[in-house]
Amino acid sequence: MTEAYVIGAGQTPFGAFPDESYRSLFQRAYESALESTDGTIDSDAVDEAVIGTLGVGGRQLGLSGPAVTEHVGLEGVPCTRVENACAAGGYAVRQAVQAVRSGMADLVVAGGFEVMTDMSGDLTKYWLGVSGETEWERLTGTTFAGVYAQMASAYMDRYGVDTEPFSRVAVKNHANGAKNPNAHLGFTCSLEDAEGGAPVADPLNLYHCCPTSDGAAVALVASEEFLEDYDGERIRVAGVGASSDPVGLADRDTYTGIPASERAAETAYEMAGIGPDDVDFAEVHDCFAIAEVLAYEDLGFCERGEAPSLLENGTTDLDGDLPVNPSGGLKSKGHPIGATGTGQVAEVFKQLTGNAGDRQLDDPQRGLTHNVGGSGGAAVVHVFERVMAE
Amino acid sequence: MTEAYVIGAGQTPFGAFPDESYRSLFQRAYESALESTDGTIDSDAVDEAVIGTLGVGGRQLGLSGPAVTEHVGLEGVPCTRVENACAAGGYAVRQAVQAVRSGMADLVVAGGFEVMTDMSGDLTKYWLGVSGETEWERLTGTTFAGVYAQMASAYMDRYGVDTEPFSRVAVKNHANGAKNPNAHLGFTCSLEDAEGGAPVADPLNLYHCCPTSDGAAVALVASEEFLEDYDGERIRVAGVGASSDPVGLADRDTYTGIPASERAAETAYEMAGIGPDDVDFAEVHDCFAIAEVLAYEDLGFCERGEAPSLLENGTTDLDGDLPVNPSGGLKSKGHPIGATGTGQVAEVFKQLTGNAGDRQLDDPQRGLTHNVGGSGGAAVVHVFERVMAE
């Protein structure tokens, strides 16, 4: 069985880009990934492509994968679109890893994209809503923020906390994103700012919600065989885990955790032969601040109910023992749905190869990515390890 | 590297089922696949699921894979939705093969579904149109039938034939489908009937077009390791090939062939170590009759321009040397988009294990499936071989 490696990754800035299309954004991300290999890789080397997108806006509902790969000159290459709502990008990376490990491809483009800022608020609400459950959530009027608000309420009730942990997520992630030139919301905020945000879905306020963004991100996944003739940077895909769960929140076992995340992490840790204590930093799915709080506990970074203290004592700050979302996360960096999971991998690649600029961590050896679909109907976790170039 | 096998497959009837939902149809197909293993396999054995659907009707646009797997008790199992328009099901099978060969799963559910008959004609036209190119085809008013009509016109012009070859496809596939209890349009028709159908998109008439259908189909893909403790029927996945191409017809190299099909077949033949002459029968993508004509040539069953003579001399009839679409194909069996590719595999499994009833072929050893996305933006080909149960 060949191992899989990421040998390059890149992304567009995340934000609002009225002059770009989904194709031009994908092209910019793809070129950025190729550039990250110091220009040593070009399209001729690509054996396969896997593209994650929810298809927000319905621009090209069918064949949206080939529609972007043809635009960058990859026509002819096998291309599959994958969709698991907000985890589409993470699953694209996972499928690329399977393609490589299957022996059917030596270099796979794992990409993701979304264009979300060119539509009305009602249409945005619709396209976010389709990532939740249809009959009992969206069609009953429950917004996507409303689903996470129910999880936030349940957490506050169970552990006797207020909204301060959510606000601390915002403060930390905006501080990190302010150091990331690709961040959509690259401003800093105070705890007072974050506590005083306008209500969105009680108890979540504006500072507890990520933006909707345009953007694309691409990772290049290669086999061991490919690396025999390649001298550039690479990080090893040490662990991969995924799990599903009922799409509707009411059908799950708990409101104060995401069981799919917990199972995905267990699988990824087992494959990597490590535990959560061995992770040096993580990019986690903070679509709403409560999601980052739950992630700490689902991923085993602390016991149940202890996530607020990790935020309070600075453990997950950029200079803490376990930095979480050094990129700024979905909260500050942005959340162009299909691009989010591949964008997380781009951040880990940059951190593990020492190319993360002002937000570079101190010599990290191992990074984790965590991408959630909907409110937890799907989750995917990857563990990446630094490898010295030969 | 482990090989991949199909150890069970089943489907719902294809047709119009106003009392069924996409979830209930998937459940029936899944149970049918489990039953095909003589009840020796249950959900506890399943490691992963890959679900193909275009999402026609927009019932659950996000997380439509987990939405059906949770319904059959597979919550917790990693589940990925794949979409490559009408080839979604074939790509689901291909991804299941990669999952098995990657060593990350020993038994994978490859499923597909679609519900298409509960909407207005305009809405059906929209949802078929999204499988074509958006800006230069759908939004300019070109219907999906219209795209294939352009290919039919080009073929007629290049080779100096009339619509008779298309009508012969209809006659043959309806004759086969009449022997298939799962067929949507299980009636026979004469060449005179087929030549006299009402115009749809000139030169294609009603008999040259497949119906829109509801349905689901599931194949169970297993590893060699899984088979060590399994005594039931199995067929070997000998070859897999896929390719992409520009989504819009006008951007392709030819109108009288589907280059993605040709490349996908080359890859599948090479992996299987065979040529087209070694194929005993095939299930090909005949969404419109011209598509079956092109498939004969793209798959190497004959030289360019010779497909009409294969139809005229009965080579591809049920009792011919190379039966094509013994199930009735999309034309008669039906075309519930996401289920079509997995339904093809269900037919091949039945034929190779001697369970095809009135349409059973005489001791076939090797069968091919060919599934096309859109008008050729994606194509996937599988070669399956009979294996004696131990």
Side-chain angles (χ1 to χ4, degrees), chain B residues 80-107:
Chain B
T80 309
R81 173 198 169 199
V82 301
E83 175 278 310
N84 263 357
C86 311
Y91 277 85
V93 175
R94 181 173 182 271
Q95 189 177 333
V97 170
Q98 288 190 335
V100 160
R101 290 172 55 102
S102 78
M104 289 168 63
D106 283 315
L107 184 62

Side-chain angles (χ1 to χ4, degrees), chain A residues 76-92:
Chain A
V77 167
C79 177
T80 309
R81 173 199 169 197
V82 301
E83 176 278 309
N84 263 357
C86 311
Y91 277 85

Side-chain angles (χ1 to χ4, degrees), chain A residues 59-361:
Chain A
R59 289 169 186 81
Q60 176 77 48
L61 275 176
L63 292 175
S64 44
V68 295
T69 51
E70 71 165 273
H71 185 68
V72 300
L74 289 174
E75 66 272 13
V77 167
C79 177
T80 309
R81 173 199 169 197
V82 301
E83 176 278 309
N84 263 357
C86 311
Y91 277 85
V93 174
R94 182 173 181 271
Q95 188 178 332
V97 170
Q98 288 189 335
V100 159
R101 288 172 57 101
S102 78
M104 289 168 61
D106 283 315
L107 184 63
V108 182
V109 169
F113 68 84
E114 216 74 60
V115 174
M116 306 180 70
T117 68
D118 62 350
M119 58 189 77
S120 70
D122 275 354
L123 204 51
T124 305
K125 196 167 72 176
Y126 166 78
W127 277 100
L128 291 174
V130 302
S131 287
E133 202 273 344
T134 297
E135 287 91 346
W136 300 97
E137 291 178 357
R138 180 168 63 85
L139 297 182
T140 63
T142 308
T143 63
F144 200 56
V147 173
Y148 273 95
Q150 292 174 60
M151 299 163 87
S153 295
Y155 190 91
M156 290 164 68
D157 183 58
R158 179 165 182 179
Y159 297 113
V161 295
D162 55 22
T163 56
E164 193 176 292
F166 311 148
S167 298
R168 287 190 188 279
V169 168
V171 172
K172 171 181 72 67
N173 289 354
H174 277 292
N176 295 352
K179 298 175 189 291
N180 185 350
N182 286 325
H184 187 170
L185 303 178
F187 54 79
T188 58
C189 68
S190 68
L191 189 59
E192 190 178 15
D193 293 333
E195 282 284 272
V200 172
D202 187 73
L204 301 177
N205 73 38
L206 190 60
Y207 283 83
H208 305 144
C209 305
C210 74
T212 56
S213 314
D214 309 330
V218 167
L220 303 173
V221 182
S223 68
E224 277 176 25
E225 288 69 22
F226 188 89
L227 294 183
E228 287 172 8
D229 297 314
Y230 180 74
D231 295 327
E233 302 272 14
R234 79 283 309 268
I235 62 175
R236 192 170 77 90
V237 184
V240 184
S243 184
S244 67
D245 218 30
V247 175
L249 180 58
D251 288 325
R252 305 238 188 89
D253 291 338
T254 177
Y255 276 46
T256 55
I258 294 183
S261 294
E262 194 171 3
R263 290 191 289 264
E266 281 169 10
T267 304
Y269 290 144
E270 187 182 342
M271 183 170 161
I274 64 163
D277 291 347
D278 301 307
V279 172
D280 292 331
F281 72 100
E283 286 283 309
V284 310
H285 196 90
D286 60 323
C287 50
F288 299 94
I290 175 65
E292 179 162 328
V293 170
L294 299 180
Y296 292 2
E297 302 177 9
D298 293 328
L299 299 172
F301 295 162
C302 62
E303 298 297 315
R304 293 281 164 200
E306 291 184 1
S309 57
L310 261 63
L311 286 157
E312 195 172 350
N313 67 25
T315 300
T316 55
D317 287 354
L318 200 60
D319 60 355
D321 287 342
L322 176 57
V324 172
N325 283 328
S327 72
L330 286 61
K331 177 70 201 82
S332 164
K333 182 186 175 188
H335 184 25
I337 293 180
T340 292
T342 47
Q344 291 177 327
V345 175
E347 177 70 10
V348 170
F349 183 77
K350 284 175 190 166
Q351 290 286 354
L352 290 179
T353 57
N355 294 301
D358 289 347
R359 64 193 188 283
Q360 178 64 50
L361 301 170

Side-chain angles (χ1 to χ4, degrees), chain B residues 347-369:
Chain B
E347 177 69 11
V348 170
F349 183 76
K350 284 176 190 166
Q351 291 285 356
L352 290 179
T353 58
N355 293 301
D358 290 346
R359 65 192 187 283
Q360 178 64 51
L361 301 171
D362 182 22
D363 202 31
Q365 302 299 311
R366 195 176 281 126
L368 176 148
T369 59

